[in-house]
Amino acid sequence: MVAKSYDMIVIGAGPGGYVAAIRGAQLGLSVAVVEREHMGGICLNWGCIPTKALLRSSEVFHLMNRAKEFGLSADNIAYDLDAVVKRSRGVAGQLSAGIGHLLKKNKVTAIMGAATLVGKGKVSVKTAKGTEELTGKNIVLATGARARELPGLEADGDLVWTYKTALTPPHMPKKLLVIGSGAIGIEFASFYNTLGADTTVVEVMDHILPVEDVEIATFAKKAFKKQGMTIMEKTLVKQLDRGKGKVVAHIESNGKVEKIEFDTVISAVGIVGNVEGLGLDELGVKHDRSHVVTDAYCRTNVDGIFAIGDLAAPPWLAHKASHEGVMVAELIAGLKPHAVKPESIAGCTYCQPQIASVGYTEAAAKEKGFDIKVGHFPFVGNGKAIALGEAEGMIKTVFDAKTGELLGAHMIGAEVTELIQGYVIGRQLETTEEDLMQTVFPHPTLSEMMHESVLDAYGKVIHM
């Protein structure tokens, strides 16, 4: 069998891999992309997209229950969980099919199968029809990650779920335990709590949403508790005793272990990179705790092999993976792209209220030795937020007192996952507080709070 030869072989067709493949093809490279399961990867099929579809349904349900506030009436408000899930799967399916079309349009060779590196520049792919041999001058590893499973807390798809089961639930939880309060855990807690599940969130760190600014996390905790959630911080789930239709969780807090019964548990305790079966050790590709070690340009220690997205360094976000895919393709094509800066990548959590951030938290800025100025503005001081009936939230900005550089921005409230991009662009353009103050924000919009938060950092706030 003669091996097919390419300029670039991409292993994995998630948001990093398929984007890398398309950009490489646009630049005139011959490109093959190998995917073992779903075009679009976890994000599109089992992550970012279907979860947002579910959360949209719960958001509409929540608003329907508030109809009276808006002078409207709605009777017998209910939901059909199967129909909610069906819509979510339909959204994911529509977009997944679109990836195949984009690859074909850009003349990328798409191969469904499991790939292994069998030598320098050599890839063997097990497909449904047999084995294909490929050779490539450059290989981009974009195999993503899967849910981390802790000993004794493993998912079983019945009583204990990972995100995959939570997206296609076998039943509606009545009493739900969510282990882990990162974006995935909090989004599922928000979804099921809104639909009526008695929800408890357990976080081992000293505050929920551990990567977020403490002030934002504290605000979120109050909002979640107001919605009926039980939040347990600095707490550990030691053991799960599984019975018929129930799980007894051994929960340790302040040295004391309490046994609490639930009917459903969602484990959201992080991710593990998909490094197995790729042949990395045989080629000497360095990896550490399931993630491939790379430089700022996603180059591994082996020449001609790159790693992007969740397989490589944090933050483990789809948009970071896509940007890295473009960067690597351009590097391979001989261009001189800028390295992706992790501290300029926004994080978004689509719970109620939404959470978004970019750059350093207040604590991180202080740890790095910056002399800082901090500004705040509450949603309750904004006309559009009040008109929307969304007066719960705030925007926080952190500046370098010496240079005026925007070090970080942190938000909680309605539509902040859309608003954050204003500050992301500001950081990319190395905006100072003066630039932001001189910018005219349209009225009435939620974005005016971004302006006011900047003004507040410098003692010039108008509407507070």
Side-chain angles (χ1 to χ4, degrees), residues 271 291-292 309-317 320 324 341-343 345:
I271 62 165
H291 295 280
V292 175
D310 286 2
L311 183 67
W316 295 305
L317 300 165
K320 175 242 189 194
E324 285 178 338
K341 296 177 184 172
E343 67 276 10
I345 296 169

Side-chain angles (χ1 to χ4, degrees), residues 423-439:
Y423 286 137
V424 174
I425 291 169
R427 275 184 62 77
Q428 185 66 25
L429 298 177
E430 299 181 354
T431 294
T432 64
E433 92 290 354
E434 191 177 344
D435 295 322
L436 290 165
M437 286 184 193
Q438 297 301 326
T439 301

Side-chain angles (χ1 to χ4, degrees), residues 31-70:
V31 183
V33 62
V34 183
E35 170 55 46
R36 70 179 179 183
E37 201 171 0
H38 305 288
M39 286 295 170
I42 291 295
C43 172
L44 201 154
N45 293 280
W46 294 102
C48 330
I49 300 300
T51 54
K52 301 316 155 278
L54 289 184
L55 286 158
R56 177 61 172 162
S57 291
S58 69
E59 182 185 10
V60 172
F61 180 69
H62 171 72
L63 285 170
M64 287 170 73
N65 278 288
R66 292 177 58 197
K68 199 172 178 183
E69 288 177 42
F70 297 91

Side-chain angles (χ1 to χ4, degrees), residues 269-317:
V269 289
I271 62 165
V272 178
N274 293 322
V275 292
E276 302 85 358
L278 286 173
L280 301 184
D281 292 334
E282 290 79 358
L283 280 177
V285 177
K286 278 186 192 169
H287 52 96
D288 178 33
R289 285 168 291 181
S290 85
H291 295 280
V292 175
V293 178
T294 67
D295 68 6
Y297 287 92
C298 297
R299 293 177 289 216
T300 70
N301 62 304
V302 176
D303 190 43
I305 299 179
F306 302 80
I308 64 175
D310 286 2
L311 183 67
W316 295 305
L317 300 165

Side-chain angles (χ1 to χ4, degrees), residues 13 18 21-23 25-26 31-33 39 96-111:
Y18 86 77
I22 289 171
R23 184 65 185 129
Q26 285 175 348
V31 183
V33 62
M39 286 295 170
S96 184
I99 302 300
H101 169 72
L102 286 172
L103 292 170
K104 192 174 180 182
K105 177 186 164 189
N106 285 280
K107 298 181 173 57
V108 173
T109 301
I111 303 166

Side-chain angles (χ1 to χ4, degrees), residues 79-349:
Y79 63 84
D80 177 341
L81 187 60
D82 289 342
V84 168
V85 170
K86 186 180 177 184
R87 176 181 181 270
S88 168
R89 300 315 308 153
V91 169
Q94 180 183 341
L95 289 166
S96 184
I99 302 300
H101 169 72
L102 286 172
L103 292 170
K104 192 174 180 182
K105 177 186 164 189
N106 285 280
K107 298 181 173 57
V108 173
T109 301
I111 303 166
M112 294 302 294
T116 306
L117 302 172
V118 290
K120 192 163 170 59
K122 294 179 181 177
V123 178
S124 179
V125 185
K126 284 185 183 172
T127 71
K129 295 178 182 176
T131 303
E132 279 194 47
E133 304 296 333
L134 314 175
T135 61
K137 294 173 194 168
N138 299 279
I139 294 168
V140 181
L141 305 174
T143 54
R146 61 187 183 276
R148 181 185 297 280
E149 296 206 86
L150 298 178
L153 311 183
E154 294 92 351
D156 55 35
D158 176 24
L159 301 171
V160 184
W161 304 348
T162 62
Y163 61 86
K164 250 186 178 177
T165 308
L167 280 166
T168 53
H171 60 264
M172 174 63 196
K174 292 186 179 68
K175 195 168 182 196
L176 170 67
L177 170 64
V178 178
I179 307 172
S181 73
I184 294 171
I186 285 295
E187 286 183 358
F188 280 122
S190 189
F191 172 73
Y192 284 109
N193 188 71
T194 301
L195 295 188
D198 178 357
T199 305
T200 297
V201 177
V202 169
E203 173 55 55
V204 71
M205 304 297 279
D206 59 4
H207 66 84
I208 59 166
L209 299 154
V211 303
E212 300 296 343
D213 188 272
V214 175
E215 210 172 342
I216 298 295
T218 303
F219 192 108
K221 180 182 174 181
K222 284 179 186 167
F224 297 152
K225 287 175 84 171
K226 192 175 165 187
Q227 292 166 19
M229 282 191 214
T230 299
I231 305 290
M232 303 175 79
E233 297 162 323
K234 289 193 274 191
T235 302
L236 188 65
V237 178
K238 303 276 286 183
Q239 184 181 328
L240 296 175
D241 298 335
R242 303 165 204 230
K244 193 174 181 183
K246 67 174 186 179
V247 180
V248 176
H250 297 236
I251 300 175
E252 183 180 35
S253 183
N254 296 319
K256 294 177 183 175
V257 177
E258 187 182 0
K259 294 181 185 179
I260 307 175
E261 189 178 301
F262 299 91
D263 64 65
T264 310
V265 178
I266 295 176
S267 178
V269 289
I271 62 165
V272 178
N274 293 322
V275 292
E276 302 85 358
L278 286 173
L280 301 184
D281 292 334
E282 290 79 358
L283 280 177
V285 177
K286 278 186 192 169
H287 52 96
D288 178 33
R289 285 168 291 181
S290 85
H291 295 280
V292 175
V293 178
T294 67
D295 68 6
Y297 287 92
C298 297
R299 293 177 289 216
T300 70
N301 62 304
V302 176
D303 190 43
I305 299 179
F306 302 80
I308 64 175
D310 286 2
L311 183 67
W316 295 305
L317 300 165
H319 42 289
K320 175 242 189 194
S322 295
H323 211 81
E324 285 178 338
V326 169
M327 177 187 72
V328 166
E330 291 181 351
L331 202 62
I332 289 169
L335 304 182
K336 293 182 179 177
H338 292 288
V340 177
K341 296 177 184 172
E343 67 276 10
S344 290
I345 296 169
C348 297
T349 306

